[in-house]
Every structure is written in structure tokens, then in C-alpha cells.
Amino acid sequence: MCGIVGVVSGSNVNEKLFNGLSNLEYRGYDSVGMCFINGSNLNIKKGVGKLEEVHKKVDFSKLKGNIGIGHCRWSTHGRVTEKNAHPHVDCKNKVSVVHNGIIENYSELKDELIKKGHKFCSQTDTEVIAHLIEDNLKNSRIEEAVRLALSRIEGSYALGILFADEPGKLIAARNESPLIIGIGKNENFIASDVPSILSHTNKIIYLDDREIAVLTRNSHKIFDISGKQKPKKIHTIKWSAEAAKKEGYKHFMLKEIHEQPRAIADTLNERIQNSHVVFEKEFGLSDDYLKKINRIVIVACGTSWHAALTGEFMLEELAKIPTEVEYASEFRYRHPLMGKNTLVIAISQSGETADTIAALKEAKKYGVKTLSICNVMGSSITRISDGVIYTRAGPEIGVASTKAFTTQLAVLYLFTILLSKLKKTLNQEQIKGMIDGIRKIPLQLQTVLDEDDEILECAELYYNKLNSIYLGRGINFPIALEGALKLKEVSYIHAEGYPAAEMKHGPIALIDKNMPVVVIAPHDVYTYKKVLGNIEEVKARGGIIIAIASEDDKLIPKKAKHTIFIPKTLYTLSSILAAVPLQLLAYHIADKLGRDIDKPRNLAKSVVVE
Ligand code: M6R
């Protein structure tokens, strides 16, 4: 939930560290700090607030050195204070630590260390690590001292560690928190994610759990927790550094919303061949296995959970496979029933969400096959599942997920086509119709993006409302949930997503002339007429109706105060098109309110703690 970056180089690393932290700020922004070694002294500056705010107070540019570590915090243990900001040091000011994760046994360790005479300055779990290493340094060299300290620690960590007495060495370690190594020319890096260091190197090593890396500017060695050296593959990343920049957009969220036609086109690319769906070799599940699946369980959190609900609808409706969607955080703490032909799918943009990783690990205990749908190559989820389908959204920096969501829907749609073919629940003509439908989506999305005026007008009229309701039915019920989540996250306006017909069982009491009600009502043979009835119910009580309707709809504009049109498409695909105006609505409202859209309060991009 925090961001970590570190560099060891042949020249001053100040700018690289500062920029790296700025790229990582989406992961946590309640406090920030840096540590450099100059000569054999640790020089630390840190403070409460965002990077630029703290920079104004402490002037990070005064820190100089060829080696440094930095941290941006999203607090878990200890309030947001300067003392609790990272880096943390030992009693002698010789060991400096930045940490992402939670040390579960820190309180026992802290008591033990205090009895031995260690003095603590913060309320964090992290400081324990610096003192534990210090304690081990009495009898061991630094690598061994780190290894011994980590073997006492329970919980999750990604660590960057500097030693004043070894000014050319950067040590990193990970367990259940993301950390990568970047191999540069005459310099090496550690970071919480790839984009933060991509302008310096695209050669990446993914650390696995319980691994320790020892970096100098021209060497890297990786060890397991027993001290045995491990060979590691160096991956070449194809994302460009530019992809992780704003490119003239006011916010990453807006840029990422506008990238969706390209993101969906990339996600489809080469996966549709002669009206067949073909996934790459990392998909890893054979046709014979897929034919046998008789149940699917999907685990995910947040926006990815909404994508999962949409997937449930597609898989049951078209491939006729019973599908259940579980919050990953709930799944991990019960004893789910798994049959031998149950497939468990984990959906995650980052591939690092702690609850989703834990749910996947729980599923694996039952011996069932697992598949991940993920946006980040080499992330934890992709490495522990039997197969992977990558969404090709590119780096998503805005905390509010947008392009990752619609590409997840596209992947679920392709997977449904594949299963429907193998299970013979659809014939070739129907499959061709589905494929023709999704091929049109990138262009259709562009037309939605090009007609932003009505959405802007709604934002201008209603940005000062305190509440709102989002209604949808069938495949568009999860889109109502997603629209409400987007608004809550970036504008801090209370919003509820509801199945349109369920509203009359309670929430209708909330409707009055101050309540904007967003109704997703594309033309379809299933629920359209019923949704018209639901619109009447809201209208009769004075609610302000903002409808998302199909382009040729003549009825809805007569009933709704505002109508935002989306192109005609298949019912299952209407969810992708309907999601985009809701993202834009949330964005424009938050912008009118002057919110910090890419870094909303209390949130972080990847929730890597329970
Ligand atoms: O990286 P993941 O998809 O696993 O993340 C799951 C949620 O934390 C994430 O979708 C969160 O809800 C977003 N902020 C939504 O915009």
C-alpha cells in the first residue's frame, strides 16, 4: 500500500529517486521520505503530505549521493506523522529501511528488542526491522543479518535497506508485497512497480516471496531465505516509458478513459483468428480440460469484482456454466465447496491485491485449476495461477480503475466465446455474430468519447448534490455498481448502485427532487421495457433521471431529464459501452469539485494489505 524505490549508481541518484517516487505516489501519499548515503553517513529527509508539499518544506534536492532509497506511505501502523514516515533507522543510525506491507508479529519483536535496550522512535511496525537487523549485525555481516532478521518476521514486506558502513550496497527483499529489480547500465534499481523506473531500464527481475536481492551498481545477486543463491530470469518489458505519462491530459484518469478504444483493440489483437478465439501459450488450459469444467468461481475485489459479476452473466447466459462471484476477502476465510471440475478465476488489474492473492492460494489448496485475468505481466497473481489471460490496457496509474475494467470485460467476453464453442452452447453463426460485435467496440467507444457534451452538462448541473443512485438490470446491474463506485472514489459523493427493480423494495424512499438517478437502459429484448417502468417510478417521485440509452431510442429522451446515447451493440457488449459515460461523469464531477482525482483521499492503487 506504499511505494518503494531505490537506486545504486555511479553518479548522484537524487533526480532518479525523486522522479521514481513521483511515479509511485499513486500507491500512497500521506507522507514521504528519502535516505541517501554520503560518505558513510545516512542522510534522511521526510515529512507529512504529498511529495511536492514535503519537497517545499525539506528540499529533497539537498540530498546527494550515488545510492538512495525512497518511500511514499499509505499508513497502516501508526498515525500519519513525520516520525512514522519512512525511512526508519536503528539506534546507531547505521541501518535505514523502507517498507511496504505489514509485520504481523511486530509487537512481540518490539517488546523483545526493547528488553535488549533498543530505543524506538516511531509507532510503526517497520522500525522493528531496522532494530532486528542492528541486533544481528553484532555477530553477522550485513547480508546474513538481513536474512536472520527476515526469518523472524511474520507478515508481508517489500523492503529497501541501506547500510551506512557499506555505501555501495542496496539490499531488497520481498514477501507477499510487490517488488521488482531493474537492471540498468552501471546502475541498478528496486521499485514497487515497473513504470516507476521504466525511463531508466526495461530489464526487470521479478522477486519471488522470501527472496533477498543484493545490488551494487554493476552486480545483482538473489538469494532465498536460507541464503542459497538463485538464478533469476531477466524480463524485457514492452511498455514504453511514455505510456506511463499524462500526455497533455489534465489527469491520468482522463487519459486512461480516452485510451479505451486502443486498450480494447490491443486486448483483442491476434486473439480472434478466422472467427475463433485463440489465447497465447500462457493461457495454459487445454481444450480437453475446458470441456470438462462444470462450475466457475470468480474471485476479485472492487472494480475487478464488478467485472466478475458481468462475467458471471456472460458465462451463464452463453456458455451455460454455473458461475459464482465471490469477494476475494470473504472467500479466503470460509471453506468453499470445490468440485474437481471447478475452475477458479482471479481478476485483478495489478495482480498484487493481497485479498485476491490469498483467495487464489486458498483455491489452490483444493487442487482445482486456476486462471488469472490480469493487466500486469509477471505480477504475483499471474505467477501462482495455472493460466493467465492478460488484459492489454497498458499501465494504469489513476487510482480509479477505468481501462483495466473495460479490458477485463473484453477478456471475459472472449473467454465466454471460447467456452461456448467448446461446450457447443452456441453455433458458429452465433459465435461469428459475437465476434463481429466486439470487433466494432473500439470504434463505437470512440464515438462515446467524442460526445462528451451532455455528460459535462450533467456534471455542471449536479456536482453539488450530496447523494446519487445508479440503476441497471441484467448485465448492466454491475455497471450501475461500477458507476457508483467511480463517483464515490473520485468525487467523495455518496452513491449507491442498485438493481433497478429492487429499488422499490426500500431505496425508493430516498428519491426526491434532489436525487440524481442514473439509469442504464440500452435497448434489449430482456429488460428494456421493465427499466422504462423503473424510470417512471423514479420520475413520479421527482428524481432527476440521467439515462444511458441506445442511439436510436425515442422513448427514453421523453422520460429522462438527460439522455446520453451509446451506439447499438449486442446486449452483452452494452456493458462496455455503458461503463464509459459513467467514468466520464464521475471524472467531470470530481474535476468540478477540484478533487485530487488521480490520488483520491484514503485510497491507494494496489491494496497489498489485508
Ligand atoms: O488491482 P486490482 O484489480 O486487484 O484492484 C482491486 C481493487 O482494489 C480496485 O479495483 C479498486 O476498487 C479501484 N480503486 C477501483 O477503481
Side-chain angles (χ1 to χ4, degrees):
M1 210 66 162
C2 307
I4 285 182
V5 63
V7 196
V8 50
S9 175
S11 54
N12 182 18
V13 298
N14 182 290
E15 210 178 308
K16 284 177 184 147
L17 212 59
F18 189 89
N19 292 339
L21 269 187
S22 157
N23 294 337
L24 282 172
E25 234 192 338
Y26 71 90
R27 300 179 69 89
Y29 30 85
D30 57 41
S31 45
V32 63
M34 287 190 199
C35 173
F36 286 74
I37 306 182
N38 204 340
S40 58
N41 293 321
L42 296 179
N43 292 328
I44 294 178
K45 282 185 189 283
K46 57 186 185 179
V48 170
K50 295 192 174 130
L51 180 63
E52 280 301 338
E53 290 160 12
V54 179
H55 182 42
K56 273 192 197 131
K57 282 186 255 167
V58 303
D59 192 359
F60 284 119
S61 67
K62 290 207 173 116
L63 291 172
K64 299 215 179 340
N66 294 0
I67 185 165
I69 49 177
H71 185 270
C72 44
R73 180 167 188 243
W74 187 86
S75 56
T76 54
H77 288 71
R79 286 181 304 116
V80 180
T81 62
E82 188 180 323
K83 281 212 164 105
N84 288 338
H86 299 216
H88 291 285
V89 293
D90 64 325
C91 301
K92 300 192 197 92
N93 212 25
K94 291 284 182 188
V95 183
S96 174
V97 177
V98 288
H99 169 220
N100 173 28
I102 292 180
I103 308 302
E104 285 163 6
N105 58 339
Y106 89 100
S107 156
E108 298 97 279
L109 292 171
K110 189 167 175 177
D111 290 347
E112 179 187 318
L113 287 158
I114 288 172
K115 277 190 198 132
K116 285 184 171 180
H118 288 264
K119 299 263 179 297
F120 282 76
C121 305
S122 75
Q123 290 115 31
T124 64
D125 52 344
T126 305
E127 196 184 341
V128 158
I129 305 170
H131 291 279
L132 250 189
I133 295 173
E134 176 188 21
D135 216 54
N136 288 314
L137 276 172
K138 287 179 201 150
N139 302 312
S140 319
R141 289 172 53 82
I142 62 169
E143 287 88 342
E144 184 64 359
V146 170
R147 200 180 67 72
L148 291 173
L150 295 185
S151 57
R152 300 278 325 273
I153 282 174
E154 287 162 25
S156 58
Y157 53 78
L159 295 168
I161 311 167
L162 293 185
F163 294 86
D165 294 337
E166 290 247 21
K169 212 173 255 182
L170 168 58
I171 299 207
R174 94 157 247 174
N175 188 46
E176 295 178 358
S177 277
L179 195 65
I180 53 127
I181 310 290
I183 307 297
K185 289 197 183 99
N186 203 25
E187 57 187 4
N188 288 316
F189 300 81
I190 63 166
S192 299
D193 74 11
V194 173
S196 59
I197 54 166
L198 207 49
S199 53
H200 307 298
T201 180
N202 65 347
K203 305 274 181 260
I204 300 296
I205 295 174
Y206 294 99
L207 276 191
D208 282 307
D209 282 350
R210 293 237 177 267
E211 285 183 344
I212 302 168
V214 180
L215 309 179
T216 66
R217 70 187 159 97
N218 44 30
S219 72
H220 62 272
K221 286 188 184 146
I222 319 289
F223 301 89
D224 67 17
I225 198 79
S226 71
K228 196 163 143 235
Q229 194 171 346
K230 289 180 80 179
K232 295 287 285 185
K233 187 171 171 205
I234 300 181
H235 298 261
T236 302
I237 301 299
K238 293 188 190 124
W239 288 352
S240 69
E242 283 60 45
K245 298 203 175 112
K246 271 193 237 163
E247 289 169 0
Y249 285 95
K250 191 170 174 191
H251 296 96
F252 276 112
M253 183 179 177
L254 188 60
K255 177 195 169 217
E256 287 159 6
I257 290 172
H258 279 268
E259 280 178 333
Q260 290 177 105
R262 192 273 311 144
I264 301 251
D266 283 357
T267 298
L268 301 181
N269 191 22
E270 291 179 0
R271 285 173 169 166
I272 297 174
Q273 297 174 12
N274 303 324
S275 291
H276 294 293
V277 169
V278 183
F279 292 119
E280 309 70 53
K281 86 172 179 317
E282 67 258 19
F283 175 55
L285 302 177
S286 70
D287 285 1
D288 282 347
Y289 166 73
L290 293 169
K291 279 182 198 161
K292 280 192 245 155
I293 296 174
N294 56 17
R295 182 168 167 244
I296 293 177
V297 176
I298 313 182
V299 293
C301 302
T303 286
S304 297
W305 186 80
H306 297 153
L309 288 178
T310 314
E312 175 186 20
F313 189 95
M314 295 180 194
L315 288 161
E316 293 201 333
E317 178 77 13
L318 301 165
K320 308 289 179 206
I321 302 176
T323 302
E324 287 144 55
V325 175
E326 300 264 4
Y327 284 113
S329 52
E330 292 295 320
F331 180 85
R332 59 184 295 193
Y333 289 116
R334 40 190 210 82
H335 301 286
L337 298 175
M338 295 277 144
K340 97 172 175 330
N341 293 321
T342 301
L343 170 68
V344 174
I345 302 178
I347 306 181
S348 173
Q349 184 286 129
S350 61
E352 301 294 351
T353 300
D355 287 322
T356 311
I357 295 173
L360 204 52
K361 286 184 178 166
E362 179 67 24
K364 285 176 85 74
K365 287 188 198 155
Y366 294 82
V368 297
K369 289 240 186 257
T370 54
L371 172 73
S372 56
I373 296 176
C374 188
N375 195 40
V376 179
M377 201 183 124
S379 56
S380 300
I381 282 169
T382 66
R383 284 181 291 142
I384 56 178
S385 46
D386 296 302
V388 188
I389 310 175
Y390 283 106
T391 48
R392 298 179 183 141
E396 191 179 67
I397 311 289
V399 165
S401 190
T402 52
K403 60 179 179 170
F405 177 66
T406 48
T407 53
Q408 286 166 350
L409 299 193
V411 162
L412 286 161
Y413 185 86
L414 292 180
F415 184 58
T416 302
I417 296 178
L418 178 69
L419 284 179
S420 305
K421 186 184 166 217
L422 292 170
K423 295 269 185 191
K424 298 194 173 55
T425 54
L426 294 178
N427 62 35
Q428 197 51 42
E429 197 183 331
Q430 290 166 311
I431 287 176
K432 189 176 170 309
M434 285 184 72
I435 286 177
D436 289 347
I438 193 145
R439 277 197 165 126
K440 290 186 195 137
I441 289 291
L443 270 180
Q444 292 182 320
L445 273 180
Q446 194 56 54
T447 64
V448 177
L449 290 166
D450 291 344
E451 280 158 33
D452 200 5
D453 298 353
E454 189 74 30
I455 304 172
L456 254 172
E457 191 188 323
C458 292
E460 267 154 24
L461 288 170
Y462 308 122
Y463 71 94
N464 53 3
K465 298 286 177 199
L466 300 178
N467 298 289
S468 60
I469 292 181
Y470 285 67
L471 302 177
R473 298 187 76 147
I475 201 162
N476 285 309
F477 163 53
I479 304 304
L481 294 178
E482 176 59 8
L485 176 64
K486 285 289 88 81
L487 187 71
K488 278 185 272 207
E489 280 188 294
V490 295
S491 73
Y492 319 148
I493 294 173
H494 173 241
E496 291 279 347
Y498 237 80
E502 188 63 21
M503 197 194 47
K504 59 184 171 294
H505 298 285
I508 200 161
L510 296 168
I511 308 283
D512 64 12
K513 63 180 180 10
N514 282 315
M515 180 68 86
V517 181
V518 179
V519 189
I520 305 156
H523 214 294
D524 69 73
V525 289
Y526 299 80
T527 55
Y528 174 74
K529 287 196 178 132
K530 303 285 173 198
V531 177
L532 287 181
N534 302 137
I535 289 177
E536 291 293 359
E537 289 160 10
V538 174
K539 204 174 164 191
R541 285 150 186 93
I544 307 158
I545 295 157
I546 302 170
I548 312 289
S550 300
E551 61 194 350
D552 58 352
D553 198 308
K554 303 275 183 300
L555 278 177
I556 287 189
K558 289 184 192 147
K559 296 173 190 283
K561 180 106 196 254
H562 306 271
T563 308
I564 297 156
F565 291 103
I566 56 172
K568 278 209 289 192
T569 182
L570 299 176
Y571 180 54
T572 31
L573 289 170
S574 62
S575 52
I576 300 185
L577 296 180
V580 175
L582 305 190
Q583 297 167 347
L584 283 168
L585 184 63
Y587 173 82
H588 289 311
I589 288 177
D591 194 33
K592 285 286 302 169
L593 290 166
R595 303 292 192 230
D596 194 348
I597 293 180
D598 288 330
K599 296 174 202 141
R601 70 181 180 205
N602 306 337
L603 296 180
K605 182 69 183 160
S606 317
V607 185
V608 296
V609 291
E610 265 189 68

